[in-house]
Amino acid sequence: MAEQSKEERLQSYVRFIAESEDLPAFGQDIYELMTTVADENAPLQRLTNIILKNISLTTRLVRTVNSVYFNRTGRSILSVSQAVTMLGWDAIRDLASSLIIFEKFDKKSPGVKELMLLSLLTASNARQISLRAGYPRGEEAYLCGMFSGLGELLVACYLPKEYTSILEAMKRNNWDERQACRHVLQFSYEEIGKAIIRHWKLPEKVSGGMEPVEQFSDKVESDEQMLSLMASFSRALSTAVYRLDPREGHERVKALIKKFGSALSVKEDNIEEILKQSVDETRQSFSAAHVPLDNLRLVRHIENALSASREQAAGEIKQEEAKVEAAAPGEESTLARLTKEVESVLESGEEFDLNDIILMILEAVYRGGNFDRALFCLVDLDRSQVQARTGLGADAEALVSKFRFPLSLLSGPVGPALLKKQDVFVDNVGDSRYSKSNFIAVVGACSFGMLPVIVGSEAIGCFYFDRLSAELALDDQQKYLLRTLRDYLGEEIARRRRIA
């Protein structure tokens, strides 16, 4: 058999890595999260839905937002939409993207975990540098910094024998990373990283920071060059500080600043501040992911950048999360706790945007009922039809665009439910009169429920929820809590109308 060419060998490894578990979803989740936060016109519902698609991410995010470090109100927070509103989109972006990385690589070896944390530190370095360089899109710098070391991370994770051979070759022959990588694999880390990015069909600029910083000029002529340089410089900075001998690392940092400092508006006396800020940002992710810092080689370097007050804050997070973890799992259902949270918010006296209230209640319905999808729908001004306005769950946005029905007694079950102000619970569509209806053709559900929202004497809309392949199977307590959530919205809308 003929020996594989470099390109054939590269593609065979790409196929092997890309077919491993849910790696494509990992890359897409990160990119979708970043682009949504960067879109000034993106609705809160879209960001909430991205987070809710990942159950483990939702759980960890809620646990983290309830830590002492984040939650100074003392009020329990279970709603993802409220967490986003409270912390802000940027904080959620950093926290969620970090947790997605931890979710993917958490079960791997300590060496992989160190590379994973190095990616987060590099991402934060890149954003800090983008602020000094006047680059207008810090989230792009963060994303490119995060992905700049993707090639090595994937090789270490999915090709552990080859990765060990690369490290041994570097030590034995005194080779640099590229020499050893090409000797073992016939291609470099950046080549496989870029190939994976292409396989995921992500924008090419995401991989710009994978090139070694030595290949860049100190003259920047475009935003794209600036983005790539910031990401590559940040990775080189992280490597110098966290992976090299202190004396060698110090010399490396000086050389980096001498060549690129002017182009990036970074001076030697800025570096400590950049590193400290990055460590402070990333430390929150360490605790959220339950990765003990003591077990990582990084800690020797990180401790020098952490102040006593920050170490105390990190301890508070761990103590608070331990309390959350220790809570008895069967004491109260998620639906009951989310319902109480909604009640607490509405009774707090704070004036929230009505759309945020709607999304919070919708999330309580969706998560509390463990449904596949949940929608909030409104009757239009001339009361001729009912149309979905926002939704959560599997392909919810696609369903929102299709969920539009006449407000008529003949357009069952939507029209009759709203006109008669009647709650609807259908446990099995196949056994119901709706099995061959246009409504089921649109929603494609196996079971569903619908709760009209009543304001005054009229239904102004409804909550719709369903399961795609199982019966609804709600007990009386669950139905009561869902109705309570629905009533909270009707009462809040009525209150606002009275004071308008």
Side-chain angles (χ1 to χ4, degrees), residues 5-292:
S5 68
K6 171 186 169 181
E7 183 61 27
E8 289 172 337
R9 187 175 174 84
L10 174 61
Q11 291 307 316
S12 68
Y13 278 118
V14 168
R15 285 192 297 273
F16 173 76
I17 292 173
E19 291 169 1
S20 300
E21 301 171 355
D22 59 346
L23 187 63
F26 154 74
Q28 194 58 43
D29 284 349
I30 290 279
Y31 185 70
E32 188 179 11
L33 178 72
M34 291 295 187
T35 53
T36 297
V37 172
D39 181 0
E40 294 181 356
N41 297 315
L44 175 61
Q45 167 267 339
R46 187 184 302 168
L47 179 58
T48 301
N49 214 19
I50 290 170
I51 295 169
L52 288 174
K53 284 192 299 185
N54 186 318
I55 294 174
S56 179
L57 173 60
T58 299
T59 302
R60 287 186 169 190
L61 182 61
V62 169
R63 183 189 302 127
T64 302
V65 83
N66 277 285
S67 68
V68 171
Y69 187 85
F70 286 106
N71 185 1
R72 305 295 183 182
T73 68
R75 189 171 66 225
S76 177
I77 296 169
L78 294 174
S79 165
V80 170
S81 56
Q82 189 187 3
V84 174
T85 301
M86 185 181 82
L87 292 182
W89 287 45
D90 288 348
I92 290 294
R93 170 202 60 207
D94 297 351
L95 198 54
S97 61
S98 302
L99 290 174
I100 289 172
I101 287 185
F102 280 118
E103 174 68 17
K104 181 60 199 169
F105 297 107
D106 186 38
K107 304 303 181 184
K108 305 300 179 180
S109 68
V112 172
K113 288 182 180 180
E114 180 172 323
L115 292 173
M116 173 177 68
L117 298 180
L118 197 69
S119 295
L120 299 180
L121 287 163
T122 298
S124 293
N125 288 344
R127 183 171 51 233
Q128 293 298 330
I129 291 170
S130 75
L131 295 175
R132 287 166 171 78
Y135 188 79
R137 294 175 295 280
E139 73 285 343
E140 289 184 353
Y142 186 93
L143 180 64
C144 291
M146 181 185 294
F147 278 133
S148 64
L150 180 66
E152 183 180 4
L153 180 59
L154 293 177
V155 170
C157 182
Y158 294 101
L159 305 170
K161 291 182 179 179
E162 289 86 344
Y163 186 63
T164 298
S165 296
I166 292 169
L167 296 180
E168 289 174 348
M170 289 174 65
K171 184 176 182 179
R172 182 175 60 251
N173 302 312
N174 197 26
W175 285 344
D176 64 25
E177 180 182 273
R178 285 189 117 199
Q179 287 176 301
C181 193
R182 284 176 169 162
H183 174 75
V184 174
L185 296 175
Q186 297 182 17
F187 50 80
S188 63
Y189 288 142
E190 61 264 26
E191 286 174 312
I192 194 167
K194 287 184 174 185
I196 288 288
I197 291 294
R198 288 193 298 271
H199 183 83
W200 285 341
K201 295 181 171 57
L202 298 184
E204 187 177 348
K205 65 180 178 181
V206 170
S207 60
M210 294 180 182
E211 293 290 346
V213 72
E214 289 79 10
Q215 296 191 12
F216 289 87
S217 166
D218 58 351
K219 306 296 182 185
V220 179
E221 299 179 353
S222 67
D223 278 357
E224 189 166 329
Q225 287 181 4
M226 175 62 79
L227 179 63
S228 298
L229 175 58
M230 288 188 298
S232 183
F233 178 91
S234 298
R235 181 161 57 96
L237 177 62
S238 296
T239 298
V241 173
Y242 300 115
R243 304 183 78 180
L244 299 183
D245 172 87
R247 181 175 298 178
E248 183 184 357
H250 180 67
E251 293 302 316
R252 174 67 168 154
V253 169
K254 287 176 65 176
L256 287 170
I257 294 172
K258 182 177 180 180
K259 182 173 182 180
F260 300 108
S262 178
L264 298 175
S265 299
V266 173
K267 299 178 180 178
E268 190 169 352
D269 56 7
N270 297 148
I271 292 299
E272 184 177 358
E273 182 183 359
I274 290 170
L275 292 171
K276 283 184 176 181
Q277 288 175 332
S278 296
V279 165
D280 194 36
E281 288 179 1
T282 309
R283 175 186 45 74
Q284 300 161 10
S285 302
F286 296 170
S287 180
H290 299 295
V291 176

Side-chain angles (χ1 to χ4, degrees), residues 172-428:
R172 182 175 60 251
N173 302 312
N174 197 26
W175 285 344
D176 64 25
E177 180 182 273
R178 285 189 117 199
Q179 287 176 301
C181 193
R182 284 176 169 162
H183 174 75
V184 174
L185 296 175
Q186 297 182 17
F187 50 80
S188 63
Y189 288 142
E190 61 264 26
E191 286 174 312
I192 194 167
K194 287 184 174 185
I196 288 288
I197 291 294
R198 288 193 298 271
H199 183 83
W200 285 341
K201 295 181 171 57
L202 298 184
E204 187 177 348
K205 65 180 178 181
V206 170
S207 60
M210 294 180 182
E211 293 290 346
V213 72
E214 289 79 10
Q215 296 191 12
F216 289 87
S217 166
D218 58 351
K219 306 296 182 185
V220 179
E221 299 179 353
S222 67
D223 278 357
E224 189 166 329
Q225 287 181 4
M226 175 62 79
L227 179 63
S228 298
L229 175 58
M230 288 188 298
S232 183
F233 178 91
S234 298
R235 181 161 57 96
L237 177 62
S238 296
T239 298
V241 173
Y242 300 115
R243 304 183 78 180
L244 299 183
D245 172 87
R247 181 175 298 178
E248 183 184 357
H250 180 67
E251 293 302 316
R252 174 67 168 154
V253 169
K254 287 176 65 176
L256 287 170
I257 294 172
K258 182 177 180 180
K259 182 173 182 180
F260 300 108
S262 178
L264 298 175
S265 299
V266 173
K267 299 178 180 178
E268 190 169 352
D269 56 7
N270 297 148
I271 292 299
E272 184 177 358
E273 182 183 359
I274 290 170
L275 292 171
K276 283 184 176 181
Q277 288 175 332
S278 296
V279 165
D280 194 36
E281 288 179 1
T282 309
R283 175 186 45 74
Q284 300 161 10
S285 302
F286 296 170
S287 180
H290 299 295
V291 176
L293 295 179
D294 305 314
N295 294 341
L296 301 171
R297 285 185 295 156
L298 284 173
V299 88
R300 296 199 303 269
H301 309 281
I302 292 172
E303 282 179 346
N304 292 330
L306 285 175
S307 68
S309 62
R310 286 171 183 161
E311 289 173 359
Q312 182 179 358
E316 289 177 350
I317 292 178
K318 289 181 179 179
Q319 291 172 12
E320 186 64 20
E321 288 182 344
K323 292 177 184 177
V324 174
E325 285 285 334
E331 281 185 3
E332 223 175 9
S333 69
T334 300
L335 180 57
R337 287 182 288 135
L338 286 167
T339 302
K340 285 184 178 179
E341 183 179 350
V342 171
E343 180 183 19
S344 175
V345 168
L346 293 175
E347 292 181 350
S348 68
E350 298 179 57
E351 198 64 26
F352 291 87
D353 185 271
L354 183 59
N355 288 327
D356 292 344
I357 295 294
I358 290 170
L359 184 57
M360 186 179 178
I361 293 175
L362 182 65
E363 183 189 339
V365 170
Y366 168 68
R367 286 178 57 203
N370 195 27
F371 301 118
D372 290 323
R373 300 175 299 190
L375 308 180
F376 174 66
C377 313
L378 277 177
V379 176
D380 61 13
L381 291 176
D382 64 5
R383 298 194 62 78
S384 64
Q385 66 176 5
V386 183
Q387 183 172 346
R389 298 295 180 179
T390 189
L392 296 174
D395 296 322
E397 290 188 14
L399 181 58
V400 166
S401 67
K402 298 186 295 183
F403 198 100
R404 185 182 296 107
F405 299 97
L407 190 63
S408 162
L409 291 173
L410 301 177
S411 64
V414 182
L418 272 72
L419 290 172
K420 295 180 180 181
K421 293 174 278 191
Q422 292 178 343
D423 300 338
V424 175
F425 297 97
V426 176
D427 279 332
N428 190 327

